[in-house]
Amino acid sequence: MAEPKVKYDRQLRIWGEQGQAALEKASICLLNCGPTGSETLKNLVLGGVGSITVVDGSKVEVGDLGNNFMVDESSIGESKAKCVCSFLQELNDAVKAKFIEEYPQALIETSPSFFSQFTLVVATQLVEDSMIKLDTICREANVMLIFARSYGLTGLVRISVKEHTIIESKPDHFLDDLRLNNPWPELKRFAEGIELTTADPVAHKHIPYVVILVKMANEWTDSHNGSLPSTREEKKEFKELLKSRMIAFDEDNYKEAIEASFKVFSPRGISHELKQIIDESAAELHHSSSEFWVMVAALKEFIANEGAGEAPLEGSIPDMTSSTEHYVNLQKIYQAKAEADFLVMEQRVRNHLKKIGRETNAISKQTIRSFCRSARKLKVCRYRLVEDEFNSPVLSELQKYLADEEYIVAVGFYILLRAVDRFAANYNSFPGEFEGEMDEDISRLKTTAVGLLSDLGCNGQTLTEDLISEMCRFGAAELHAVAAFIGGVASQEVIKLITKQFVPMSGTFMFNGIDQKSQLLSL
């Protein structure tokens, strides 16, 4: 068997050893192992989750051979959960796998405590009533939950978690933490020790742009009553000032300074989003407060005191045109400031732990250090109860989607996926499931959808005949291509939740296979 570091090499580069360790500790429960569930779990097993439990009471039928490559002809009549579990175990023998031959709906009704043993539950192909019940069960047990469903050429993915906190949100674009608009004393002193007016052309073109901007910003504030450039004209004037200090056309360091000058103009202090987090009531600590909120409480104090309105420094600098000596010294200055900030934060965290009656070393140095590095990028995600969304969606948003050409198909499928569950409850089959009843099913589904819209407060609203007809034509089939796509999206969100890295989707993810579009609905 390959060593874990070799086996998981590529993904370790994305979420690191901490993320992989979280995956390897995770226990995942899958409800229903049709193609959507099987595809979701396949991705997680290959990623190295700790253990999986497959729950499905059905047997393999001939129809399953066309949409689930984890079963074959020899599986017909066998337990579907057993066959899929066996196949998944072959993909990665480091993953512990077991199966339970029981219908998920029955387990939800009779054994709600069953779900409390898992880190996360992936519930696929559940009808509305079961979704609502399972959501309540998982919330009470503090178990993360993801719903996934594919239905013909449409599908959805919906996360349901009371609160999800993220330290390593890893945004695609985020301003470097260089503090060019608010340099600390050591950085100022370093910049003051380098002359921009040096007559040596080689030395002049190897002054780091950080130094150029710190010195030029200082020069600007001296002549502008302590204010940095703020208006469009002032920013343009500042860039012209930078250009005027070039002594040769090929000075890349000055070109970098001009390109990065917006970092000088950016507002000082913390973002509005971070301010909202540190001001949350959850930052008022008690004995059972999570590690995240203990560190947020320490962060709030740091910003108000040692940070002077700023979060701890990240401590890294980007690549730039510079002499090796200048670059290494600059790197040391940033690292020293980050280390000093970390030590202050660590002490504040330890003090808070002591105050709430916990072991002072309950949060590791590594965790606090990671928190400090990512303090500006913290995220808190909260999700509505499925029952609340189903009974009382945000009416203004729903009406907006129904009136928007861009969203009409996505919200139409969202309504119809709920309508087919009502249809099935009334007529004991999904629309279009049996031949010869198509016209009647279309009429019934239209009536059901209009009734649902009316219940949600959208009186007089209807959906297009074409969309309703398509939904009936799907006949509740799980198409492998759609199931694989939905499974891929669901497994990606599982990994985000378990590793606590990257930001999970908010709202309901809708896939429209007719137009090949994916959209998020916030209801």
Side-chain angles (χ1 to χ4, degrees):
M1 186 176 79
E3 283 292 315
K5 281 193 177 180
V6 176
K7 185 195 262 188
Y8 303 127
D9 175 61
R10 293 203 171 185
Q11 62 203 50
L12 280 166
R13 299 180 198 196
I14 299 170
W15 52 71
E17 290 187 14
Q18 252 185 310
Q20 189 61 37
L23 276 178
E24 289 172 12
K25 284 179 196 164
S27 173
I28 309 288
C29 176
L30 172 70
L31 303 185
N32 291 317
C33 58
T36 307
S38 298
E39 287 290 336
T40 305
L41 215 49
K42 175 203 74 179
N43 298 328
L44 297 173
V45 165
L46 290 171
V49 293
S51 66
I52 58 167
T53 300
V54 181
V55 179
D56 195 318
S58 62
K59 305 290 185 188
V60 178
E61 298 174 2
V62 174
D64 294 317
L65 306 185
N67 67 2
N68 192 340
F69 71 81
M70 298 188 197
V71 297
D72 56 27
E73 284 184 26
S74 66
S75 310
I76 294 172
E78 295 285 320
S79 158
K80 195 187 287 185
K82 181 182 178 183
C83 295
V84 168
C85 196
S86 173
F87 181 92
L88 291 170
Q89 185 79 79
E90 285 180 33
L91 292 179
N92 190 345
D93 56 8
V95 176
K96 295 172 187 168
K98 67 176 183 177
F99 65 92
I100 295 173
E101 280 188 75
E102 191 164 346
Y103 288 100
Q105 289 89 335
L107 210 53
I108 291 166
E109 294 286 348
T110 61
S111 304
S113 61
F114 167 79
F115 298 98
S116 62
Q117 64 186 291
F118 301 105
T119 310
L120 185 145
V121 174
V122 179
T124 67
Q125 307 305 99
L126 288 188
V127 295
E128 188 172 311
D129 185 49
S130 295
M131 286 174 72
I132 290 170
K133 287 175 182 169
L134 181 62
D135 188 28
T136 304
I137 291 166
C138 288
R139 291 253 175 159
E140 286 174 0
N142 207 24
V143 172
M144 296 181 283
L145 174 62
I146 289 187
F147 295 107
R149 187 176 188 180
S150 60
Y151 193 105
L153 290 174
T154 187
L156 66 77
V157 176
R158 164 67 149 85
I159 295 168
S160 189
V161 183
K162 196 184 295 181
E163 179 184 273
H164 181 66
T165 55
I166 310 147
I167 295 173
E168 295 183 66
S169 62
K170 300 186 178 179
D172 289 334
H173 305 288
F174 210 82
L175 201 61
D176 296 320
D177 191 15
L178 298 177
R179 305 283 165 92
L180 302 181
N181 56 356
N182 194 10
W184 63 99
E186 290 81 5
L187 179 58
K188 277 184 179 175
R189 278 199 294 275
F190 177 72
E192 285 164 5
I194 298 171
E195 284 298 327
L196 297 186
T197 53
T198 178
D200 182 347
V202 175
H204 195 265
K205 66 165 63 174
H206 285 92
I207 300 169
Y209 81 75
V210 166
V211 172
I212 296 169
L213 288 174
V214 168
K215 288 182 78 75
M216 296 299 285
N218 189 52
E219 187 179 314
W220 175 280
T221 55
D222 284 348
S223 59
H224 289 79
N225 299 318
S227 298
L228 289 167
S230 57
T231 66
R232 189 174 177 180
E233 290 72 26
E234 285 178 340
K235 290 173 184 177
K236 189 177 177 184
E237 189 184 336
F238 184 76
K239 288 180 181 178
E240 290 301 323
L241 190 61
L242 287 168
K243 257 186 218 176
S244 71
R245 299 301 169 90
M246 294 175 73
I247 60 173
F249 72 92
D250 63 342
E251 291 189 312
D252 289 337
N253 57 337
Y254 273 84
K255 290 175 186 174
E256 288 169 2
I258 293 164
E259 282 177 17
S261 59
F262 70 93
K263 295 173 185 177
V264 172
F265 316 144
S266 63
R268 291 174 175 174
I270 60 173
S271 67
H272 174 67
E273 192 173 5
L274 181 55
K275 174 127 185 32
Q276 281 186 313
I277 291 172
I278 65 172
D279 288 342
E280 283 216 24
S281 58
E284 303 296 322
L285 302 181
H286 49 81
H287 182 72
S288 55
S289 289
S290 69
E291 289 187 358
F292 179 86
W293 289 113
V294 171
M295 291 188 286
V296 166
L299 175 64
K300 184 175 184 175
E301 290 181 352
F302 177 92
I303 291 168
N305 295 285
E306 296 87 359
E310 299 279 4
L313 188 76
E314 287 177 27
S316 59
I317 59 173
D319 191 21
M320 63 188 79
T321 303
S322 169
S323 67
T324 302
E325 184 187 358
H326 284 339
Y327 188 83
V328 169
N329 287 335
L330 196 59
Q331 211 170 31
K332 285 177 181 175
I333 288 165
Y334 274 86
Q335 287 169 351
K337 167 69 171 157
E339 182 64 18
D341 287 355
F342 157 71
L343 291 172
V344 172
M345 273 289 293
E346 184 188 17
Q347 190 55 53
R348 289 197 173 277
V349 169
R350 306 285 177 228
N351 291 343
H352 277 299
L353 287 167
K354 188 177 180 180
K355 276 182 201 169
I356 59 174
R358 303 244 292 269
E359 290 289 327
T360 55
N361 61 352
I363 302 176
S364 70
K365 276 178 179 279
Q366 185 184 11
T367 302
I368 300 169
R369 198 178 290 280
S370 173
F371 183 90
C372 290
R373 270 199 308 267
S374 304
R376 296 185 308 136
K377 305 164 193 168
L378 304 178
K379 294 280 181 188
V380 177
C381 304
R382 295 186 177 97
Y383 298 84
R384 291 188 77 191
L385 270 164
V386 169
E387 185 173 18
D388 290 347
E389 181 186 315
F390 284 173
N391 293 338
S392 310
V394 181
L395 191 56
S396 58
E397 289 295 304
L398 181 56
Q399 288 171 334
K400 185 180 82 177
Y401 292 139
L402 287 164
D404 189 336
E405 254 182 60
E406 276 293 302
Y407 280 89
I408 187 62
V409 177
V411 76
F413 276 138
Y414 174 85
I415 295 295
L416 287 169
L417 279 170
R418 295 189 56 194
V420 296
D421 288 345
R422 284 193 178 189
F423 184 106
N426 290 333
Y427 303 108
N428 295 315
S429 67
F430 287 99
E433 202 169 358
F434 300 110
E435 290 181 27
E437 297 177 8
M438 186 64 78
D439 290 342
E440 190 179 3
D441 282 358
I442 290 170
S443 174
R444 285 172 169 173
L445 183 58
K446 182 178 180 180
T447 304
T448 307
V450 169
L452 175 58
L453 283 166
S454 179
D455 290 347
L456 298 176
C458 299
N459 296 312
Q461 290 273 13
T462 187
L463 303 174
T464 66
E465 296 281 346
D466 285 351
L467 204 59
I468 293 166
S469 298
E470 279 298 314
M471 203 68 177
C472 289
R473 210 163 63 82
F474 296 160
E478 275 187 88
L479 306 179
H480 182 261
V482 176
F485 178 76
I486 293 295
V489 173
S491 56
Q492 173 181 278
E493 298 309 303
V494 169
I495 288 168
K496 289 179 187 176
L497 289 171
I498 290 173
T499 61
K500 290 198 169 188
Q501 295 180 27
F502 303 95
V503 183
M505 296 187 300
S506 58
T508 303
F509 172 88
M510 293 301 305
F511 174 62
N512 163 12
I514 296 171
D515 301 314
Q516 293 85 51
K517 280 173 84 173
S518 301
Q519 288 163 306
L520 275 173
L521 303 179
S522 300
L523 295 167

